[in-house]
Amino acid sequence: MDTEELKTLVVSEIDTRRQQLNELSLKIHANPETAFQEVKSATWLAEYMKENGFSIEQGICGLATAFRASYGQGKPAIAILAEYDALPKLGHACGHNLIATSAVGAGVASKLAMDRFGGTILVIGTPGEEMYGGKVIMANKGAFDDVDIAMMVHPAGLNTAATRFLACQTLEVEFFGKAAHAAARPEVGINALEAMLQSFAAINSLRQHIKDSARIHGIITDGGEAANIVPAHTAGKFIVRAEDDDYLDELKERVINCFIGAATASGARLEYKWAEVRYAPLRSNLTLARLFRRNLQSLGRRVHLYDPRIGIGSSDIGNVSQLVPSIHPLIAIAPAKMVTHSPQFAETAASEAGTKGLLDAAKALAMTVVELVANPGAVAGVKEEFGQGRVSG
């Protein structure tokens, strides 16, 4: 059996499982669970893999809702990553139900390639992508140490084989002032809210003088108790993003100086804490991306290698990509103008277009697995690029 015949078989295998995969996707969508609370979703996904002949490890890396499903033995070990956490209040407005289901669908279909050529197919359940960086924790605990290649596909409004993600880190800030009657004795108060507002103003000024791709954004989580009381406490949460780790370090220092200046001007006391989890920039492996692109195109989709219309965010797969060759393609399930993290995208993630996206993603992933295990030279090419340290972008 040649490679093209096997690719036809894995596509057919996914088609025969269309109803199963769609039902699993809709079940996850109807039961949204936020970061590290994905008990039902992780259980359903692991059970599906076990029913289809995979060995299952649950609760890996000290994360109750992380899992590892494996089939086959030896090299190459190819991991397909599943995300399944939802957004607070919005549910699956990032389409992680589709990411998870396309991963397990591709994993099961890839068994045919392992049986024919050898190697190991892994489906790794990675919880808490939104804000908490589950993959960062898992990477630090060795979850990807024996992985040769990692892939996943994210729903979007466009088809691309490669993406760019920024390094980022979250910052929590508090100002402590002194309460006073805002009308009768304002002169004895220290206004913590003014310190926070001055910080925002300073950051707005800083934005004029940072690199185009860098981002600083935040919210006030505590702005005071009442309008007639000088606020004695304010708090905020910010995210700082940059194209590379070195510039992120520089930008972090400049951002903190905005808060220090506001504290000095207002007299409020500043406390801040950077998150322990830090997202790394994504190294998109272009050799691997081109393989995936060709397979997705064979399904009738027009696929860009990159698309400049896509906004740049951050994801914890960036940390995985620093360890092993990785790709994070996008598959269109909605019009290009529709944004993720919106109620409209949440609806689309449970639509017929969403189902078509998860099936095509699963097929393209499985076909790429076939090419990799059937052709040792393909794996060598992917690893050669990774070894040269080429960073996409």
Side-chain angles (χ1 to χ4, degrees), residues 33-77:
E33 299 167 299
T34 54
F36 300 133
Q37 306 301 314
E38 316 96 324
V39 176
K40 293 178 182 177
S41 299
T43 299
W44 292 331
L45 293 163
E47 286 177 348
Y48 186 80
M49 301 308 292
K50 185 176 182 179
E51 290 168 1
N52 285 281
F54 279 70
S55 299
I56 307 298
E57 299 172 73
Q58 291 181 282
I60 63 173
C61 300
L63 299 176
T65 53
F67 69 87
R68 177 184 176 105
S70 61
Y71 181 89
Q73 58 184 350
K75 295 288 189 175

Side-chain angles (χ1 to χ4, degrees), residues 143-362:
F144 307 101
D145 287 356
D146 61 347
V147 171
D148 294 300
I149 289 170
M151 301 185 287
M152 61 173 286
V153 180
H154 199 296
L158 298 162
N159 298 303
T160 69
T163 46
R164 294 171 62 200
F165 285 136
L166 302 173
C168 82
Q169 196 163 0
T170 299
L171 170 67
E172 293 183 358
V173 174
E174 291 182 279
F175 285 106
F176 297 87
K178 181 180 179 182
H181 195 292
R185 296 293 305 277
E187 71 277 9
V188 302
I190 297 176
N191 197 319
L193 179 58
E194 282 297 335
M196 186 66 74
L197 296 176
Q198 289 175 31
S199 301
F200 270 89
I203 287 170
N204 286 338
S205 297
L206 175 61
R207 286 195 182 100
Q208 300 178 58
H209 307 290
I210 63 176
K211 294 180 180 180
D212 288 345
S213 60
R215 299 287 187 271
I216 311 165
H217 38 101
I219 60 169
I220 296 175
T221 56
D222 178 14
E225 299 297 327
N228 62 348
I229 303 173
V230 174
H233 176 264
T234 54
K237 180 175 285 189
F238 297 79
I239 301 176
V240 183
R241 306 180 195 252
E243 270 197 32
D244 57 66
D245 287 315
D246 289 342
Y247 192 59
L248 180 59
D249 287 335
E250 177 186 332
L251 199 55
K252 284 171 59 179
E253 183 176 354
R254 296 173 73 182
V255 167
I256 288 299
N257 284 338
C258 293
F259 294 101
I260 293 172
T264 302
S266 66
R269 176 169 57 87
L270 168 67
E271 291 188 8
Y272 66 88
K273 179 177 67 175
W274 289 102
E276 293 182 9
V277 169
R278 172 168 163 158
Y279 288 28
L282 176 65
R283 293 177 60 187
S284 282
N285 188 283
L286 299 186
T287 304
L288 183 59
R290 290 187 179 100
L291 284 177
F292 178 88
R293 181 190 188 192
R294 184 169 63 244
N295 287 312
L296 187 56
Q297 285 175 325
S298 74
L299 301 173
R301 288 180 179 259
R302 182 180 179 183
V303 186
H304 301 273
L305 186 59
Y306 283 111
D307 194 312
R309 293 174 291 174
I310 298 172
I312 308 175
S314 304
S315 176
D316 54 5
I317 193 175
N319 299 69
V320 180
S321 76
Q322 302 298 320
L323 302 175
V324 299
S326 304
I327 56 171
H328 183 286
L330 304 179
I331 194 158
I333 67 166
K337 292 183 178 180
M338 185 182 293
V339 296
T340 58
H341 292 207
S342 68
Q344 295 78 17
F345 201 85
E347 292 178 11
T348 305
S351 69
E352 183 61 31
T355 300
K356 179 68 162 58
L358 86 82
L359 293 172
D360 283 356

